Amino acid sequence: MVNWKQMMGTRGYEMYAENYEAALELIHSRPKMHKEGSLKRIKRAMAAFGHPELAHPVIHVAGTNGKGSVVNALRQICQAHGLTVGTFTSPFLMRFNERISVDDVPIPDDKLLALVNEVGPQVDTLDQAAPDSQLTEFEFITLLMFVYFSRQPLDVAIVEVGIGGLTDATNVVKPDVAVITTIGYDHMALLGDTLPEIAQHKAGIIKPHCPVVVGRVPAEAQAVIDAQAKAQASPMLRLGHEYTASTGQPLPEWAEQFNYQMSGYHFTALKIPMLGAYQVDNAAVAITAFIVFMTQKHLPLDPRALQQGLAHASWAGRLEKLNDAPLIVLDGAHNEPGIRALAQTLKTTFAQREIYVIFAALQDKATDKMLPLLAQVPNVHLVLTQFQGPRKTETATDLAQALTTDVPQYAVWQQALQAVLQAASAEDMIVLTGSLYFVSDVRQYFMADEATNQ
């Protein structure tokens, strides 16, 4: 494995990373985090590179769940209006490059390599000056993104927060619009044990006089956001108050239909190619952020383009259908609020099917709260398994401790899938969930199998 510390000063500029794979190793070998949550490291780096974070207008998106779906819907709406859009998301499902995209096209391998070769040596110089305060992996990726975006003809950069908001590396931006999608229990070791504590971190992205779009959040979390917005003199638009979204009749296709309303705007029969009431919420958040942004820039909103953008706003790994008979679905729910939303969708939309849920998760997740939510769905048959993740994963045996009844357990997820496929009928449903990293593994498995059979 390439060690970036050993390489400092030992290679010339052109040889910092010899190829794409070496560039990725250099990125991933950086420190994961520091004990101190601070923006000082990333601010120092941004200043050294001429403040690339200020090159374009930014929509900054925070929240416990729904960030990726909101970013994706915003991107599609913007592109349908002819805007050039940069997006920064995490994690990736298939390849690292997905995290940094322009108009839905991931950064090419050669450009990522060139960027690492340019930025890496300069960052190493900064690190040598402050050896106890080296840029973390996420901070380095954030710097790469902003440098790359600063050289693209973007109309807007849509930037997803990594964790929290207040001390997240992306919070060096001065956004045109701040978005907080949802607030729930996740990353509690870093953000706090209560919803107000977690909300304080999310609300940290609110900047002076910057409009804030808020999704569906609990009252105690909303109170924290309200206070921060008031302190920053930032106007706020809240789902269910300043704007609303109401679902229409169920559709025969894999989609949701809804109506949207805000002062001066009313759209009916909008469609998104995703399932779940929470996805309607996410789409409404995206629409509102887009309206605010276009208003700020004195640009016209085209209702037809809005409709077309939403119609293309599918998002891989979020209740994503891979097969029809049996129905095989991937869902990246990886915390209690996400699993709660998934369980509700299974109860309401798929009540007539027998559902096999194959569950795997990282060890630092609240699986003791997640698994009982799925076990309570009447037509769900739970199957526990494990996978090779970027961090330590929970074993199937340990997962079972959260349940009061015995359920099948498999140490290898492919074996769990094969067993379920043998047991399920063509009318049944199979859901693989518990972690975006698990979903990524499964998705790559299915895509590779599909390519082999073509």
Side-chain angles (χ1 to χ4, degrees), residues 213 236-239 241-245 259-267 284-285 287-293 295 301:
V213 177
M236 186 160 49
L237 297 95
R238 301 159 297 170
L239 179 59
H241 296 272
E242 287 74 26
Y243 68 100
T244 61
N259 302 326
Y260 172 92
Q261 188 161 351
M262 188 173 76
S263 179
Y265 298 91
H266 181 62
F267 306 111
V285 169
I287 293 169
T288 307
F290 179 74
I291 290 172
V292 173
F293 178 78
T295 301
L301 185 149

Side-chain angles (χ1 to χ4, degrees), residues 16 20 23-28 30 42 45-46 49 52-53 87-88 96-97 99-102 107 111-123 135-152 169:
Y16 186 78
Y20 170 79
L24 288 185
E25 288 194 4
L26 283 163
I27 291 169
H28 296 320
R30 297 196 68 83
I42 190 68
M46 292 298 169
F49 283 84
E53 78 279 13
T87 51
F88 182 56
F96 174 87
N97 306 46
R99 300 183 66 171
I100 304 172
S101 295
V102 173
I107 181 172
K111 290 189 177 181
L112 180 62
L113 174 60
L115 199 58
V116 170
N117 273 329
E118 175 188 351
V119 173
Q122 296 183 63
V123 168
L135 277 194
T136 65
E137 176 183 354
F138 184 72
E139 289 168 342
F140 187 68
I141 296 168
T142 301
L143 175 61
L144 292 175
M145 173 268 295
F146 279 124
V147 172
Y148 181 64
F149 282 175
S150 70
R151 297 166 183 177
Q152 310 300 314

Side-chain angles (χ1 to χ4, degrees), residues 56-74:
H56 301 296
V58 171
I59 300 175
H60 201 194
V61 183
T64 301
N65 289 320
K67 296 189 297 292
S69 296
V70 168
V71 169
N72 182 57
L74 262 170

Side-chain angles (χ1 to χ4, degrees), residues 4 10 45 80 132 152 154 162 193 197 212 219 233 250 260 311 337 371 420 453:
W4 67 273
T10 64
D132 294 328
Q152 310 300 314
L154 303 185
D193 296 328
E197 287 176 320
V212 186
Y260 172 92
L371 282 166
V420 168
N453 293 329

Side-chain angles (χ1 to χ4, degrees), residues 11-22:
R11 292 184 174 181
Y13 172 84
E14 295 297 332
M15 294 295 290
Y16 186 78
E18 295 179 349
N19 52 42
Y20 170 79
E21 289 73 20

Side-chain angles (χ1 to χ4, degrees), residues 146-192:
F146 279 124
V147 172
Y148 181 64
F149 282 175
S150 70
R151 297 166 183 177
Q152 310 300 314
L154 303 185
D155 294 302
V156 61
I158 307 172
V159 177
E160 178 185 330
V161 167
I163 294 177
L166 182 63
T167 57
D168 186 78
T170 63
N171 205 28
V172 292
V173 297
K174 295 181 179 178
D176 294 75
V177 186
V179 176
I180 301 174
T181 58
T182 60
I183 291 179
Y185 292 104
D186 198 16
H187 299 297
M188 293 157 66
L190 298 173
L191 305 181

